[in-house]
């Protein structure tokens, strides 16, 4: 099987999308003769047509991106618009998405996933599915006990996809936990993230006391 | 009321958004409101690069110094912001989305619970009502509109706004003026 993985994170190579993608590809390549190429959308920002041309030359394409304000980042939308002229062509790839976000619940990703499915139908690509994962900001600093389980699930998804050409629903269901946080979880997770992720970085930059600044106050 | 219209139509010479917006501006003025229109394609608004400097290095200010900074300033100063765009592949234009992404500096990085979900804390005391004014594509259907509305409602929650209206360029101007007045 041949797969083109488009890492469409605005952060390019050093991205949470990239970390999850690596685990997926590791699994995918375990099947002999499978090949995968990775492209970074940021590299094509001034030349989207070059990436559009590549798109139609593959059997399978997965586009990975972070959730930005409850949808795809503007730069990813620009790429989706650039794909519009391919609409209805006979040689289009099967298309899947890998979407992750900062908030811990998968619920935030459900609506953009619906959009992506509709996008696939609109352009005329067979839809592979959407791989969704919340709680991904700061993946490189999250403790191993948090990440190892879902990194291995991404590996299994890739392995299974590499064998069957399908994105396994059962693994998606496991990855999608938690869909919502319980009240107890909420009470634990929120202060932890505020401190360990955000205050720690502001403190390091010496701006914790400016945290609530309102520089654009009318 | 202070109304801001962000026109996200990438092509000024085609479609119904630009003429509709021009006409709407006149109607809004006649109704006694203060209205500003920003045509995004005439401005430099780089896409967000995800650096989070607006939260952790220079709280409240985006690291990219281009026209988006002033647009965010006007956004937060408005009572009601109308986001205008043609639908393109079933969603408003990338111009409009880039401007929305660049606005995350108006909220605070800290999380808090809002109606049983995690969202961000406020940075400012008040936020504008946001509305959508869209031009349909030839193949726009009910499903597209439902998806759009669901996403837009969530965007409003995430930005401490509420949704004013979602209208299309086939709506009578009076309906929009009415919707502005009641919000
Ligand atoms: C402009 C902007 C908007 C964001 N909006 C959301 C959001 O609405 N919901 C959410 O859960 N995370 C949101 N995030 C967080 C990102 O989805 C998260 O940091 C992600 O892991 C980044 O992935 P990347 O490193 O692959 O770019 C936003 C981040 C940025 C920079």
């Amino acid at each position: 099987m041949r797969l083109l993985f488009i890492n469409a994170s605005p952060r390019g190579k050093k991205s949470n999308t990239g970390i999850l993608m690596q685990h997926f590809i590791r699994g995918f390549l375990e099947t002999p003769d499978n090949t995968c190429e990775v492209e970074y959308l940021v590299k094509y920002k001034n030349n989207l047509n070059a990436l559009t041309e590549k798109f139609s030359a593959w059997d399978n394409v997965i586009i990975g991106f972070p959730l930005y304000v409850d949808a795809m980042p503007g730069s990813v939308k620009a790429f989706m618009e650039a794909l519009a002229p391919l609409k209805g062509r006979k040689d289009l790839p099967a298309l899947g998405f890998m979407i992750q976000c900062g908030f811990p619940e998968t619920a935030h990703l459900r609506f953009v996933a619906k959009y992506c499915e509709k996008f696939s139908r609109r352009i005329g690509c067979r839809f592979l599915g959407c791989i969704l994962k919340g709680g991904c900001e700061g993946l490189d600093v999250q403790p191993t006990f948090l990440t190892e389980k879902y990194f291995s699930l991404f590996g299994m998804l890739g392995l299974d996809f590499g064998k069957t050409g399908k994105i396994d629903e059962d693994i998606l269901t496991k990855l999608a936990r938690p869909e919502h946080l319980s009240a107890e979880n909420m009470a634990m997770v929120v202060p932890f993230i505020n401190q360990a992720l955000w205050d720690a970085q502001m403190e390091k930059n010496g701006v914790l006391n400016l945290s609530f600044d309102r520089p654009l106050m009318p | 009321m202070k109304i801001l219209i962000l026109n996200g139509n990438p092509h000024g010479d085609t479609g119904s958004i630009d003429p509709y917006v021009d006409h709407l501006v006149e109607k809004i003025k006649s109704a006694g409101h203060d209205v500003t229109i920003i045509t995004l394609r005439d401005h430099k608004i780089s896409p967000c690069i995800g650096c989070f400097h607006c939260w952790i290095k220079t709280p409240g200010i985006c690291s990219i110094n281009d026209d988006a900074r002033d647009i965010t300033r006007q956004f937060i100063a408005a009572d009601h912001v109308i986001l205008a765009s043609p639908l393109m592949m079933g969603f408003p234009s990338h111009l409009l989305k880039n401007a929305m992404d660049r606005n995350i500096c108006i909220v605070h990085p800290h999380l808090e619970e809002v109606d049983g979900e995690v969202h961000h804390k406020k940075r400012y005391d008040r936020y504008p009502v946001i509305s959508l004014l869209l031009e349909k594509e030839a193949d726009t259907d009910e499903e597209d509109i439902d998806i759009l509305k669901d996403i837009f409602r969530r965007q409003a929650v995430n930005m401490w706004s509420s949704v004013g209206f979602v209208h299309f360029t086939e709506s009578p101007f009076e309906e929009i003026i009415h919707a502005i007045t009641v919000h």
Side-chain angles (χ1 to χ4, degrees), chain A residues 47-66:
Chain A
N47 186 16
L48 288 174
N49 287 341
L51 190 55
T52 309
E53 272 162 36
K54 260 199 121 147
F55 180 90
S56 46
W58 289 78
D59 313 323
N60 298 283
V61 176
I62 296 179
I63 303 177
F65 63 84

Side-chain angles (χ1 to χ4, degrees), chain A residues 11 68-70 72 74 77 81 87 105 108 115 118 121-122 194 199 205 207 211 213-214 216, chain B residues 50 56 88-89 92 94 97-98 101 108 110-111 118 123-125 139 141 143-144 154-155 158:
Chain A
R11 291 174 174 161
Y68 270 23
V69 200
D70 290 287
M72 74 304 281
K77 181 65 201 332
E81 289 167 21
K87 210 167 154 183
E105 315 103 315
H108 297 276
Y115 172 78
K118 182 73 192 263
R121 251 190 285 143
R122 177 171 253 123
N194 290 350
D199 286 355
N205 295 329
V207 296
S211 160
D213 255 20
R214 299 168 169 192
L216 302 178
Chain B
I56 60 165
M88 303 174 77
M89 298 303 277
H94 70 281
K97 189 60 175 52
N98 279 331
D101 293 347
H108 187 277
H110 278 183
L111 307 179
V118 170
R123 180 179 295 284
Y124 294 91
D125 290 330
D139 60 357
D141 59 20
E143 184 188 24
D144 291 317
R154 299 186 64 81
Q155 291 176 322
N158 227 349

Side-chain angles (χ1 to χ4, degrees), chain A residues 9-11 14-18 66-70 100-103 108 136-137, chain B residues 48 50 52 101 104 158:
Chain A
S9 164
R11 291 174 174 161
K14 241 180 118 2
S15 56
N16 299 318
T17 302
L67 192 68
Y68 270 23
V69 200
D70 290 287
Q100 47 80 33
C101 71
F103 294 152
H108 297 276
C136 286
E137 182 46 28
Chain B
C48 170
F52 281 147
D101 293 347
I104 61 152
N158 227 349

Side-chain angles (χ1 to χ4, degrees), chain A residues 19-216:
Chain A
I19 294 173
L20 300 180
M21 171 187 84
Q22 289 306 340
H23 288 282
F24 183 88
I25 292 176
R26 172 173 50 74
F28 177 77
L29 292 177
E30 276 182 43
T31 304
D33 300 331
N34 276 0
T35 55
C36 176
E37 204 174 302
V38 175
E39 286 292 354
Y40 292 88
L41 180 61
V42 279
K43 259 181 48 192
Y44 290 89
K45 63 176 175 223
N46 298 317
N47 186 16
L48 288 174
N49 287 341
L51 190 55
T52 309
E53 272 162 36
K54 260 199 121 147
F55 180 90
S56 46
W58 289 78
D59 313 323
N60 298 283
V61 176
I62 296 179
I63 303 177
F65 63 84
L67 192 68
Y68 270 23
V69 200
D70 290 287
M72 74 304 281
S75 49
V76 176
K77 181 65 201 332
F79 178 52
M80 290 173 139
E81 289 167 21
L83 289 172
L86 303 185
K87 210 167 154 183
R89 253 168 59 171
K90 290 281 167 282
D91 58 347
L92 295 180
L95 180 60
F97 296 85
M98 178 187 283
I99 318 168
Q100 47 80 33
C101 71
F103 294 152
E105 315 103 315
T106 308
H108 297 276
L109 295 157
R110 293 291 173 197
F111 299 90
V112 74
K114 269 195 203 164
Y115 172 78
C116 287
E117 179 179 1
K118 182 73 192 263
F119 176 87
S120 304
R121 251 190 285 143
R122 177 171 253 123
I123 192 168
C125 291
R126 186 167 63 81
F127 180 61
L128 292 169
C130 282
I131 306 168
L132 308 177
K133 181 76 190 89
C136 286
E137 182 46 28
L139 269 191
D140 51 343
V141 296
Q142 285 184 21
T144 317
F145 76 88
L146 279 178
T147 54
E148 64 188 353
K149 193 166 140 212
Y150 59 86
F151 284 172
S152 91
L153 287 172
F154 272 88
M156 282 162 64
L157 260 186
L159 176 69
D160 199 75
F161 178 67
K163 282 187 191 153
T164 64
K166 294 201 179 86
I167 292 178
D168 187 82
E169 289 289 337
D170 291 337
I171 306 177
L172 287 187
T173 308
K174 286 187 187 147
L175 267 183
R177 290 180 197 130
E179 183 71 29
H180 289 278
L181 292 182
S182 65
E184 302 84 71
N185 248 329
M186 184 80 77
M188 224 167 58
V189 166
V190 167
F192 174 76
I193 295 180
N194 290 350
Q195 209 295 314
L197 190 62
W198 299 117
D199 286 355
Q201 294 186 80
M202 284 186 262
E203 185 138 39
K204 207 174 107 216
N205 295 329
V207 296
L208 190 54
N209 59 326
L210 304 175
S211 160
F212 281 93
D213 255 20
R214 299 168 169 192
L216 302 178

